[in-house]
């Protein structure tokens, strides 16, 4: 009930009651500055977490349901073995399409490493066969055994070996982002609690006078809670706005910097930073309320 | 109104007050005397539940003080006005707002406050100082502001702890006259003091009972000094 009254009072405001708490400069500035700084960092942690999430999803989607066969064979046999592999693939359940990459496509794949004038014909470059799976997927073990028996130079690569660590890394990055957010929230609570305790200690005389004239604990606590909640809300609002602006102004790189350029928000996720100031205010509300009631219990 | 039955108070094993039996009847006037450190302030604090008896019973307006929760203590204090020798204020607020503070914390309508507040400030002679901050006041002005704050809620009991300790004789008499006037209005007054001249001056105006504390006990109580 008291908590509900506190929340109502917080929203409604009470000009007269607010005046009983002196405007102590240092704790006010500290609360607003800490909330602002933490909100700024929280925006980045949020952006990191969301970007890592998107990256993990993209890698999972892009690499799932595709596989490659590398064929190394003598020049004279390569066409025949390619055809044999395509025949095997056509008979394998779970494979939607399969095709051998043309020389131009293979050259384009190698171009970033060897340049545009690569003499593909003079090099022992394996032939690549691209596979698209159906939704059900294929039996990779069975296909490997058949390829080994019929075309020994063919190696099936279903991307699992290197796709899984990348997705795991992106998932871990997303988790770290959320852990950072929790740590930021915890640090904010700790700093605001310290600031509130400092303000309460500085205002011991105010507390004594108020108790002497018949003020209830909830009334006194409410006045401090309102003050600190407003400071935290204001500070976090500015910090979150600056953080969001900084994210928006990050330079957009091309595909080469895909990860860095992806650090940010997309679509509706731009609304996420809006949750930070109310979260900071709620943290300040609880931290100050607990600190104030604990301090008041020491007074009769 | 306020009653003590074999009440005692001490810190740990050290007793400060023992066997205190006392009844403050409505409209009565009491002086509490005794040497410094005798326990006058402690006795007053027991009367408004800032301290709780370690033995015996203290009843405040019919309720056992030891059984009151913090909200009930706050409500009880709205019926008891307290004036300390070194009275504390909210130094960032003007005198008028400090005097009105009990009304504000009790959630009384501010429109009703204004006229009563002005009358009260005039009654204690602080009309010209209503907008000053407490640190700007003299000792006598602070005591009168504290008295005004103590009575703005129209309390039943006024407890004054050495109210004239920091002021000259003229101001002491002025404060005493205000307290006597309040007593004539029906308020119960308790003044802790070691100023015998003040007690003699009061006895010329009101029927005052003198309680003496020595060695932690009420050793004499009567109308004579």
């Amino acid at each position: 009930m008291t908590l509900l009254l506190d929340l109502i009072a917080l929203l409604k405001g009470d000009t007269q009651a607010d005046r009983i708490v002196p405007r102590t400069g240092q704790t006010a500035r500290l609360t607003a500055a800490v909330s602002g700084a933490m909100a700024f960092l929280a925006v980045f942690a949020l952006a990191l977490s969301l970007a890592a999430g998107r990256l993990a999803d993209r890698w999972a989607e892009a690499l799932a349901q595709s596989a490659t066969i590398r064929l190394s064979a003598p020049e004279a046999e390569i066409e025949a073995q390619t055809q044999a592999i395509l025949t095997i693939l056509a008979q394998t359940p779970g494979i939607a399409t399969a095709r051998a990459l043309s020389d131009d496509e293979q050259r384009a794949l190698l171009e970033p490493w060897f340049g545009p004038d690569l003499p593909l014909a003079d090099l022992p470059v394996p032939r690549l066969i691209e596979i698209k799976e159906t939704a059900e997927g294929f039996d990779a073990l069975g296909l490997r055994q058949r390829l080994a028996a019929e075309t020994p130079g063919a190696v099936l690569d279903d991307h699992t070996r290197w796709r899984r660590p990348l997705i795991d890394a992106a998932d871990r990055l997303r988790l770290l982002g959320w852990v950072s957010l929790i740590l930021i929230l915890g640090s904010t609570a700790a700093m605001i609690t310290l600031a509130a305790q400092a303000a309460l200690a500085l205002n011991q005389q105010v507390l004594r006078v108020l108790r002497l004239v018949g003020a209830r604990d909830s009334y006194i606590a409410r006045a401090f809670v309102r003050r600190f909640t407003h400071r935290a809300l204001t500070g976090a609002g500015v910090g979150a706005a600056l953080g969001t602006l900084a994210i928006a102004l990050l330079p957009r790189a091309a595909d080469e910097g895909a990860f860095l350029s992806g650090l940010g928000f997309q679509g509706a996720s731009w609304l996420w930073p809006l949750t930070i100031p109310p979260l900071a205010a709620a943290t300040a509300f609880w931290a100050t309320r607990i600190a104030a009631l604990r301090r008041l219990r020491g007074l009769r | 109104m306020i009653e003590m039955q074999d009440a005692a108070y001490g810190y740990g094993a050290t007793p400060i007050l023992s066997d205190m039996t006392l009844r403050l009847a409505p409209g009565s006037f009491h002086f509490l005397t005794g040497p410094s450190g005798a326990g006058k302030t402690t006795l007053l604090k027991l009367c408004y539940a800032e301290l709780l008896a370690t033995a015996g019973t203290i009843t405040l307006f019919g309720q056992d003080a030891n059984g009151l929760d913090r909200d009930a203590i706050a409500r009880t204090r709205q019926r008891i006005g307290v004036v300390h020798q070194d009275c504390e204020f909210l130094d960032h607020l003007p005198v008028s707002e400090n005097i009105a503070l009990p009304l504000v914390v009790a959630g009384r309508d501010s429109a009703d406050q204004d006229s009563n507040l002005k009358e009260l400030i005039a009654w204690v002679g602080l009309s010209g100082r209503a907008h000053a901050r407490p640190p700007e006041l003299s000792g006598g002005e602070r005591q009168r502001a504290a008295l005004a704050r103590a009575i703005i809620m129209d309390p039943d009991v006024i407890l004054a702890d050495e109210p004239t300790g920091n002021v000259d004789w003229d101001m002491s008499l002025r404060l005493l006259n205000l307290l006597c006037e309040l007593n004539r209005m029906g308020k119960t007054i308790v003044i802790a003091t070691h100023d015998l001249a003040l007690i003699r001056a009061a006895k010329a105006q009101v029927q005052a009972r003198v309680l003496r504390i020595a060695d932690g006990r009420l050793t004499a109580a009567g109308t004579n000094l």
Side-chain angles (χ1 to χ4, degrees):
Chain A
M1 188 62 187
T2 315
L3 178 64
L4 186 66
L5 287 173
D6 281 2
L7 284 169
I8 292 169
L10 181 72
L11 296 172
K12 216 170 78 175
D14 184 341
T15 320
Q16 246 180 339
D18 287 347
R19 284 176 56 77
I20 65 173
V21 182
R23 295 185 177 278
T24 43
Q26 278 189 337
T27 52
R29 278 195 292 274
L30 180 65
T31 308
V34 164
S35 304
M38 293 299 182
F40 189 84
L41 293 176
V43 170
F44 278 90
L46 197 58
L48 174 72
S49 193
L50 292 174
R54 281 197 304 272
L55 199 64
D57 293 344
R58 198 160 63 225
W59 283 342
E61 275 173 30
L63 299 174
Q65 302 188 328
S66 72
T68 309
I69 290 175
R70 273 194 328 273
L71 172 64
S72 300
E75 177 85 32
E77 296 173 21
I78 199 140
E79 278 308 318
Q81 288 203 23
T82 301
Q83 285 310 312
I85 291 169
L86 290 173
T87 307
I88 291 169
L89 293 174
Q91 294 164 355
T92 305
I95 290 179
T97 59
R99 69 177 186 93
L101 296 189
S102 67
D103 284 350
D104 286 344
E105 286 173 314
Q106 295 212 174
R107 192 175 286 113
L109 282 174
L110 295 172
E111 194 177 294
W113 286 273
F114 297 103
D117 303 322
L118 181 69
L120 206 58
D122 301 337
L123 290 172
V125 176
R127 170 61 53 89
L128 297 178
I129 297 168
E130 185 187 77
I131 299 171
K132 295 285 179 199
E133 301 172 33
T134 61
E136 293 77 29
F138 63 89
D139 172 14
L141 185 64
L143 181 59
R144 271 198 188 94
Q145 285 172 345
R146 194 169 170 196
L147 288 172
E150 297 183 28
T151 53
V155 176
L156 172 66
D157 180 0
D158 61 359
H159 305 160
T160 310
R161 187 162 44 89
W162 59 278
R163 187 181 67 194
R164 178 45 50 198
L166 281 177
I167 293 170
D168 284 348
D171 280 341
R172 194 66 58 84
L173 209 55
R174 172 161 49 185
L175 181 69
L176 284 175
W178 287 111
V179 169
S180 303
L181 272 175
I182 291 166
L183 288 176
I184 287 169
L185 203 64
S187 305
T188 308
M191 294 295 284
I192 291 175
T193 302
L194 285 176
Q197 281 175 345
L200 289 160
L202 278 172
N203 290 302
Q204 192 72 8
Q205 181 176 330
V206 173
L207 303 183
R208 276 196 305 270
V209 169
L210 290 170
R211 281 297 297 174
L212 182 71
V213 300
R216 283 175 295 124
D217 287 353
S218 55
Y219 179 90
I220 303 169
R222 223 174 279 155
F224 281 90
V225 164
R226 265 197 303 271
R227 178 68 56 85
F228 277 84
T229 305
H230 285 153
R231 284 173 191 165
L233 185 66
T234 309
V238 172
L242 289 176
T244 309
L245 187 66
I247 293 281
L249 293 178
L250 273 179
R252 297 284 142 198
D255 287 346
E256 293 81 3
F259 177 74
L260 278 177
S261 62
L263 181 64
F265 303 105
Q266 285 179 2
S269 70
W270 280 103
L271 296 175
W272 271 100
L274 290 178
T275 61
I276 291 172
L279 208 57
T283 306
F285 176 90
W286 281 109
T288 315
R289 192 168 191 274
I290 292 167
L293 291 176
R294 191 171 292 163
R295 168 72 61 166
L296 283 164
R297 271 199 290 275
L299 290 174
R300 283 296 299 171
Chain B
M1 196 164 276
I2 295 179
E3 285 187 51
M4 295 185 183
Q5 189 64 48
D6 300 323
Y9 181 80
Y11 295 105
T14 312
I16 294 177
L17 295 173
S18 313
D19 301 327
M20 309 297 284
T21 296
L22 175 67
R23 180 172 180 271
L24 302 179
S28 56
F29 198 119
H30 303 261
F31 278 105
L32 199 55
T33 66
S36 294
K40 299 189 291 292
T41 300
T42 302
L43 181 59
L44 290 186
K45 285 183 174 177
L46 289 168
C47 289
Y48 63 93
E50 177 153 350
L51 298 175
L52 296 178
T54 49
T57 313
I58 298 177
T59 310
L60 306 178
F61 306 103
Q63 291 181 291
D64 181 1
N66 282 38
L68 297 174
D69 64 19
R70 293 181 64 81
D71 280 357
I73 289 174
R75 280 194 299 276
T76 301
R77 286 184 188 163
Q78 292 174 3
R79 301 179 66 181
I80 301 174
V82 182
V83 182
H84 286 296
Q85 178 181 2
D86 47 351
C87 33
E88 291 184 313
F89 295 96
L90 304 190
D91 290 342
H92 62 289
L93 295 181
V95 169
S96 57
E97 286 190 46
N98 267 285
I99 293 173
L101 198 57
L103 293 171
V104 172
V105 302
R108 299 278 177 88
D109 190 347
S110 59
D112 294 341
Q113 293 173 22
D114 284 349
S115 60
N116 291 342
L117 183 62
K118 279 179 187 156
E119 277 178 33
L120 182 59
I121 291 173
W123 187 70
V124 295
L126 288 174
S127 293
R129 305 291 279 153
H131 299 293
R133 309 274 160 181
E136 298 164 12
L137 300 181
S138 68
E141 287 171 334
R142 286 176 74 85
Q143 291 297 341
R144 281 181 282 149
L147 180 61
R149 186 181 67 189
I151 62 178
I152 197 163
M153 288 288 285
D154 194 21
D156 302 303
V157 181
I158 295 158
L159 306 173
D161 188 8
E162 300 282 5
T164 59
N166 289 333
V167 297
D168 60 26
W169 178 243
D170 286 345
M171 185 52 68
S172 297
L173 281 181
R174 197 167 165 187
L175 281 165
L176 180 67
N177 289 340
L178 291 172
L179 288 163
C180 289
E181 201 175 330
L182 287 166
N183 180 243
R184 283 192 287 273
M185 292 176 191
K187 308 294 179 197
T188 301
I189 311 283
V190 181
I191 302 175
T193 183
H194 54 259
D195 187 346
L196 297 182
L198 189 76
I199 300 173
R200 286 192 193 99
K203 286 169 77 72
Q205 295 188 56
V206 291
Q207 186 74 26
R209 189 179 178 212
V210 181
L211 310 171
R212 187 173 290 123
I213 301 179
D215 300 326
R217 291 167 194 273
L218 275 175
T219 56
T223 54
N224 298 319
L225 290 177

